[in-house]
Amino acid sequence: MNLATSIGIAIDRVVGIVSPQHEAKRIVARIKCMQVRQFAAAKNSRLTGDWMPAATDINTLIRTGSATVRERSRQLVRDFAYFSRAVKVLVDFTVGTGITFQSRVVRGTNAETGKSRLHSTAIRQIEDAWNRWMDEADASGKMHYHEIERLWKRQDVETGEALLVKVFDPTPGRFLPLCLQMYEPDWLTSNFARAAGNNLLDQGIEYDPLTGRVAAYHFAVPDGFNQFSGKSKTTRVPAHNVIHGYEMLRPGQLRGISPFTSAILLADDLHEYLGAEMDGAKMAAKYLGIVETDDVAGFQKMRSTVDAHTGQRVEVLENAIIEYLRAGEKMTLTSSNRPGESFTPFTRLILQMVAVATNIPYELLTGDYQGLNYNALRGVRNDFIKIIGPLQNRHIRQLSRPVFASFLESAYLSGRLALPGFASNPRPWMEGRWQVPGMEPVDMLRESKSNVEQMTSLLRSPQEITAARGRDWEEVLIECAEAKDMATQRGLTMGEVSTALQTNPAALDAGENQ
């Protein structure tokens, strides 16, 4: 309440001493004036009178509700098929089989053309070392680095954040001592933790109150899981050894929240509704006989059995058996129309709402492609490309680049890679391109012709086209050269190979056996 409003209320009360009617008129006039000045969404009415949103900061909201949201999200992923499908779709389209790295270290600039020259030797050494280290990246030795990427993204989707701790294993025989360990967000805790100096501690994260920069993370790790000593109830890990990823929704946010939050209640209701409809359909598929008789006790004693669990008498009417009742007895078979005609459109509507809340196209979430033509399907695909792009970029910024920087530093310090000047300026050695999973064309023939026209018109490059399919242009050229060499060895040209494969896919195999 501002000063002007307070003064106005005080004047109303003074007027009310002399004339209560004038006081009432003044109050009504003031309320109308305030309503005129408000946004429509801020006005109170009989429909919004009990709508009182929590007016608090994002960290308080996450601190008080994130644990419940995490558990509900995980439970739905375990038990509700569409939530499980949503997680798989986002993981598969963001990471796929893995985001690959192609080094682009520059040797210098060509004096004649002014173009940068790639350092082919350094590129090959860095890529070979990276590929070798990825095999042993997991501290437990169970996962390849690309599998860690998938687990990271799965955590990001289910719980809204992902945590990875860098540990160092000096075991002889390892290529590098650096290895990675995935942590559960639940292990972050402020209980029994103590911040250093003037730092603040919130939700297990220690940070500088002036800049907001994170200084350390405090974990309560289950016994026997990690390589840290268990001398205290919590373990303080410096921030430079932790990679913490989540989507920043509001300034100052310290922890993440599941992107499925707005869909959780809706999905749970749909889950229960589907279960009730399935139970109803199963009951409707059975015969239910209701017997009307003057001798209830005698009828039940002769024909029914007692359920061992409920103690109730049950009469079973088997298929293809006709029961002949005694005089005065009548049996009625009940019928049910479940599921009704509204079941499918209603379920589809709710699933469309779940698809919107999870930011996944309805067709991908449900596998329902009925009624789609080429234009509609391509529109769905193009929209999803726009959705998945920012997710892939955030994944690269928050995981791929920090991990690669730690790998390169470890390789340099251990002597596995000779990187002149790395200590003073490591950035030139980190130059590279991250290739994310692509999407195959909806119609290969139509889009191939369009791509050729755009390349001819210099509107698109072959690198961009192959990258959109999740491939690297250089690898494609290498494979094409290998295919050409194989064809030449058999006395064929690429055109002849193409014709042979169209008419007889086994043509090349037959040539090998001659």
Side-chain angles (χ1 to χ4, degrees):
M1 184 182 300
N2 57 31
L3 179 61
T5 303
S6 300
I7 295 174
I9 293 175
I11 295 176
D12 291 343
R13 292 175 179 174
V14 174
V15 172
I17 296 175
V18 179
S19 175
Q21 293 181 349
H22 283 81
E23 179 188 9
K25 291 180 179 179
R26 287 176 60 87
I27 293 175
V28 171
R30 179 178 292 103
I31 292 175
K32 290 181 177 180
C33 182
M34 291 175 61
Q35 289 179 343
V36 169
R37 295 174 182 176
Q38 286 180 337
F39 289 107
K43 294 180 180 179
N44 290 325
S45 67
R46 62 181 181 82
L47 299 178
T48 61
D50 60 346
W51 186 5
M52 299 296 294
T56 185
D57 64 283
I58 183 65
N59 290 317
T60 300
L61 292 174
I62 293 177
R63 187 188 311 115
T64 56
S66 61
T68 302
V69 171
R70 280 198 303 267
E71 294 308 317
R72 289 179 177 177
S73 176
R74 288 167 174 162
Q75 187 268 329
L76 285 170
V77 171
R78 291 192 301 266
D79 299 338
F80 187 46
Y82 292 108
F83 242 53
S84 177
R85 169 67 175 170
V87 172
K88 291 177 181 177
V89 166
L90 290 176
V91 172
D92 288 343
F93 281 86
T94 302
V95 179
T97 57
I99 297 179
T100 59
F101 176 74
Q102 188 174 39
S103 177
R104 284 292 184 270
V105 178
V106 176
R107 179 190 296 272
T109 304
N110 190 306
E112 297 180 358
T113 63
K115 296 182 179 180
S116 299
R117 295 180 299 174
L118 296 179
H119 198 317
S120 57
T121 302
I123 289 174
R124 184 176 63 255
Q125 292 176 348
I126 291 174
E127 291 181 353
D128 289 346
W130 171 251
N131 291 330
R132 181 175 176 180
W133 175 77
M134 285 195 296
D135 290 331
E136 61 176 25
D138 182 25
S140 65
K142 298 177 181 178
M143 295 184 292
H144 186 273
Y145 173 69
H146 289 324
E147 294 175 292
I148 294 177
E149 282 188 303
R150 289 183 61 85
L151 181 58
W152 169 281
K153 185 57 188 177
R154 186 179 185 88
Q155 289 282 302
D156 179 60
V157 173
E158 284 189 17
T159 68
E161 56 187 338
L163 285 158
L164 186 149
V165 175
K166 295 179 284 185
V167 295
F168 299 90
D169 185 358
T171 303
R174 285 187 57 87
F175 179 66
L176 293 178
L178 172 69
C179 46
L180 310 174
Q181 208 167 37
M182 289 294 301
Y183 273 31
E184 292 271 20
D186 311 64
W187 298 346
L188 274 174
T189 179
S190 297
N191 297 332
F192 307 103
R194 180 177 297 178
N198 295 324
N199 290 343
L200 299 181
L201 189 62
D202 187 3
Q203 305 174 77
I205 298 179
E206 180 183 331
Y207 64 97
D208 185 335
L210 296 178
T211 64
R213 187 177 296 276
V214 177
Y217 293 82
H218 294 259
F219 296 99
V221 183
D223 293 338
F225 177 82
N226 72 344
Q227 300 180 6
F228 297 117
S229 60
K231 295 181 181 179
S232 61
K233 293 185 178 180
T234 58
T235 301
R236 182 181 187 273
V237 183
H240 63 265
N241 281 335
V242 179
I243 300 177
H244 184 201
Y246 59 93
E247 183 179 10
M248 184 75 73
L249 301 175
R250 288 171 61 180
Q253 182 178 338
L254 294 174
R255 298 283 300 271
I257 192 73
S258 172
F260 289 175
T261 299
S262 61
I264 286 177
L265 296 181
L266 188 66
D268 184 56
D269 289 341
L270 179 59
H271 186 206
E272 291 188 6
Y273 170 70
L274 291 176
E277 283 293 334
M278 290 180 67
D279 289 341
K282 287 189 291 185
M283 293 301 297
K286 300 177 181 179
Y287 290 107
L288 175 60
I290 300 176
V291 177
E292 299 177 12
T293 177
D294 296 332
D295 185 14
V296 177
F299 183 88
Q300 290 184 345
K301 185 175 181 181
M302 291 172 52
R303 301 169 182 258
S304 62
T305 59
V306 178
D307 188 281
H309 299 287
T310 64
Q312 297 178 348
R313 292 189 175 275
V314 180
E315 173 70 18
V316 179
L317 181 61
E318 299 181 4
N319 295 332
I321 292 180
I322 300 176
E323 292 280 349
Y324 293 91
L325 306 179
R326 296 180 299 181
E329 295 175 349
K330 177 183 177 182
M331 175 176 284
T332 303
L333 295 179
T334 63
S335 61
S336 174
N337 62 347
R338 298 182 70 174
E341 295 180 356
S342 63
F343 174 77
T344 299
F346 176 74
T347 302
R348 181 184 177 92
L349 172 63
I350 301 301
L351 286 175
Q352 287 174 339
M353 296 172 65
V354 173
V356 170
T358 56
N359 220 12
I360 297 174
Y362 167 82
E363 293 76 13
L364 277 176
L365 179 67
T366 63
D368 180 10
Y369 291 88
Q370 295 182 10
L372 290 182
N373 54 27
Y374 168 76
N375 291 330
L377 191 58
R378 185 171 182 183
V380 170
R381 173 178 173 271
N382 291 343
D383 287 344
F384 192 51
I385 289 175
K386 296 294 185 181
I387 293 173
I388 211 69
L391 301 182
Q392 292 171 333
N393 289 336
R394 180 165 65 86
H395 183 92
I396 292 172
R397 289 195 308 271
Q398 294 185 348
L399 178 67
S400 301
R401 289 177 181 170
V403 168
F404 182 75
S406 297
F407 150 78
L408 212 58
E409 180 182 10
S410 181
Y412 171 74
L413 294 176
S414 62
R416 292 292 188 179
L417 289 175
L419 308 174
F422 180 86
S424 59
N425 184 18
R427 186 174 182 84
W429 299 101
M430 296 181 182
E431 293 295 332
R433 178 185 301 158
W434 296 95
Q435 180 59 58
V436 298
M439 297 186 189
E440 290 293 338
V442 176
D443 187 318
M444 183 69 75
L445 181 60
R446 291 187 187 184
E447 298 192 30
S448 295
K449 290 182 178 179
S450 174
N451 289 335
V452 170
E453 291 178 359
Q454 291 183 76
M455 285 192 297
T456 304
S457 304
L458 301 180
L459 298 177
R460 297 187 72 183
S461 66
Q463 292 93 325
E464 180 185 359
I465 294 171
T466 52
R469 296 178 54 221
R471 297 296 309 279
D472 178 67
W473 173 240
E474 184 177 0
E475 291 181 356
V476 172
L477 290 179
I478 293 173
E479 292 174 3
C480 289
E482 292 175 349
K484 186 175 181 180
D485 291 340
M486 292 170 64
T488 302
Q489 292 174 6
R490 291 162 175 77
L492 302 171
T493 64
M494 290 300 293
E496 291 171 339
V497 171
S498 175
T499 303
L501 288 176
Q502 290 177 7
T503 56
N504 180 14
L508 288 182
D509 292 336
E512 291 181 354
N513 296 327
Q514 292 178 355

